[in-house]
Amino acid sequence: MPHLCAGSARTRKRLATVGAVLVTLWGPAGALAASLDLGVADTGISFGNAARWRGVRINAVDRDIESIVGLNFTLWKPGYNDFGAVSGLGVGLYGVGAEEFR
């Protein structure tokens, strides 16, 4: 059995955190409507599909956006958006989806 170094507990915690974020971003369809939000009153940093957010939002697929103010970073092509506004910077590897950009 290989010897585990002292930093391995920290590495396992980091991998668990990254895994939780990935499940939120790319999980089953129900998980795509969820987000891991680090902030207060819809302000801060959000990983996932937060419909309303102020600050930084990192998401796999833009879907059902209401209002995003700040930086919206999307990893894949947008889903269905009836209405949505992004005020600030919208960046996407495949494109961003919103009805209105300001």
Side-chain angles (χ1 to χ4, degrees), residues 13 40 52 61 63 73:
K13 283 183 181 180
V40 177
R52 292 174 307 283
V61 178
R63 182 178 314 199
F73 182 74

Side-chain angles (χ1 to χ4, degrees), residues 25-26 32 46 48-50 56-63 65 68 71-79 81 86 89-98 101:
L25 292 175
W26 286 293
L32 288 175
S46 176
N49 197 33
V56 178
R57 179 179 179 264
I58 302 170
N59 190 31
V61 178
D62 285 336
R63 182 178 314 199
I65 292 174
I68 308 299
L71 172 65
N72 182 49
F73 182 74
T74 305
L75 300 173
W76 196 242
K77 63 183 179 179
N81 286 299
V86 174
L89 181 62
V91 179
L93 296 179
Y94 196 91
V96 292
F101 288 95

